[in-house]
Amino acid sequence: EGEALYQKAKASDEAGKRSKAIDQYEKVADNYPFAPSAGIARFRQAELLEEEGEVLESFDAYQQFLQKYRGSGLYSKALAKQAQMAQSAANGKVKEGFTGLSVIGLKRKVSVHQTVDMLGKVRDNAPRSETSARAQFTIGELYQADFQSSKKFSKEDRDGSKAIAAYRKLVRDQPESKPAAEALFRVGVVLMEQADRGNRNQATLDLADEAFRDYLIQYPGHAKNPEARRLMASLKSKDLARSLEIAEFYDSAGQTESAKIYYGAVLKNSASGTAHDKAKARLKELGE
């Protein structure tokens, strides 16, 4: 019965009756899973849905195929199709986040949450592979774009913590993979962005510095090494500016002893520069 229905589905497919073929292929795979052509039916259902722009439905059909027909000769092709589909959905979201433009050419908009779910399945379907590493990196990239977006197009990652967690997971699970070095570099970048957003406590700046140091130790010679060193230098400037800001706050409030402590910290951590000169001049005025 399953094979007979598969032949009907194939005939509908060849006749260009896509909707009917999709329904028939689905019935073969759902109702006759042990029929010889059941795997092919599920795969073709996924392909037709993809061609129709029904991304989520197609992805789910590929997922069902991958879970049930691991020995099929179409397994690698299905995995590649699924990965390509998830990356395509993510790329549109990432570009939307960084540029404010939506470039995703899909029939139905896919949310950040749905895209992350797709990428997670791709990662888990091919553990410890470059496909898996790329999927996990893209999850981090997607959350980072969401965090950076001025439009806040989904508000999935309000404070950057999900991006950091995703990047750290990749470095922890697959430290030798191609995107791991970039992922650890991005941890430092997101932490710096947290500080720029107003989370200027010393712990955030210290964590950013620590992430860059870890990156330089683990991945010496990576293309972003010079940029990491430049950002670490800017972190020191941010730290000095913060100390000077606190000193001036206490100074204006009449709490001169507290102000002296922070002015002194500026001098201790710098040999020259605007902050250094301001702190030195004010300490002199205060009799220090």
Side-chain angles (χ1 to χ4, degrees):
E1 289 179 11
E3 285 302 292
L5 183 55
Y6 172 76
Q7 291 302 325
K8 290 180 181 179
K10 190 175 179 183
S12 298
D13 194 354
E14 292 171 350
K17 299 176 181 178
R18 290 185 170 225
S19 296
K20 188 174 182 179
I22 289 170
D23 289 341
Q24 291 172 323
Y25 282 135
E26 184 177 16
K27 286 178 182 176
V28 172
D30 285 351
N31 299 330
Y32 306 96
F34 299 108
S37 300
I40 300 173
R42 182 70 80 195
F43 182 88
R44 185 58 184 154
Q45 175 203 359
E47 275 192 322
L48 289 174
L49 286 166
E50 183 182 3
E51 291 169 10
E52 291 291 299
E54 298 291 352
V55 175
L56 296 177
E57 291 80 355
S58 174
F59 187 92
D60 288 343
Y62 280 125
Q63 182 67 16
Q64 291 178 61
F65 172 86
L66 290 167
Q67 289 175 330
K68 195 165 185 65
Y69 303 103
R70 294 183 178 276
S72 170
L74 293 169
Y75 187 88
S76 294
K77 187 176 181 180
L79 187 63
K81 286 261 194 181
Q82 194 185 50
Q84 182 181 25
M85 193 178 303
Q87 289 291 345
S88 176
N91 289 342
K93 272 297 177 191
V94 167
K95 290 177 182 177
E96 183 181 348
F98 284 129
T99 68
L101 298 174
S102 178
V103 297
I104 192 165
L106 307 175
K107 188 171 182 179
R108 180 150 41 113
K109 194 154 186 172
V110 182
S111 71
V112 171
H113 177 77
Q114 290 169 321
T115 308
V116 167
D117 182 64
M118 291 166 71
L119 289 163
K121 287 176 180 173
V122 169
R123 176 198 62 211
D124 296 341
N125 285 336
R128 305 295 176 181
S129 68
E130 282 302 318
T131 297
S132 172
R134 181 64 203 171
Q136 183 60 33
F137 178 82
T138 305
I139 290 173
E141 195 174 31
L142 191 62
Y143 281 139
Q144 184 184 2
D146 193 43
F147 171 58
Q148 291 179 332
S149 173
S150 59
K151 291 173 63 178
K152 290 289 184 183
F153 59 83
S154 72
K155 298 184 181 178
E156 282 283 334
D157 192 7
R158 294 173 183 270
D159 61 1
S161 60
K162 289 184 179 180
I164 291 170
Y167 287 137
R168 286 200 181 281
K169 177 176 173 58
L170 172 58
V171 176
R172 181 179 66 249
D173 293 349
Q174 293 182 265
E176 302 302 322
S177 63
K178 288 181 181 179
E182 176 70 20
L184 188 50
F185 173 80
R186 295 279 189 100
V187 171
V189 170
V190 176
L191 285 164
M192 285 191 70
E193 289 167 352
Q194 283 185 342
D196 289 339
R197 293 283 184 93
N199 186 14
R200 291 180 176 272
N201 64 70
Q202 188 61 44
T204 303
L205 296 174
D206 288 346
L207 284 171
D209 184 74
E210 180 183 325
F212 287 130
R213 289 182 188 279
D214 287 347
Y215 159 76
L216 290 170
I217 292 170
Q218 291 188 52
Y219 303 104
H222 184 254
K224 295 289 180 68
N225 279 188
E227 179 69 4
R229 292 188 179 94
R230 186 189 69 79
L231 291 172
M232 287 172 71
S234 73
L235 278 172
K236 185 176 180 181
S237 296
K238 287 177 184 291
D239 191 17
L240 290 173
R242 178 177 176 273
S243 293
L244 181 62
E245 182 181 327
I246 295 172
E248 290 175 337
F249 170 78
Y250 282 127
D251 204 351
S252 64
Q255 300 180 41
T256 55
E257 292 305 314
S258 296
K260 287 177 183 180
I261 293 172
Y262 283 95
Y263 284 132
V266 173
L267 293 184
K268 181 181 177 181
N269 293 306
S270 64
S272 62
T274 303
H276 176 94
D277 294 343
K278 283 185 177 181
K280 185 176 181 180
R282 183 55 182 151
L283 280 173
K284 187 176 180 180
E285 290 173 356
L286 293 172
E288 291 291 322

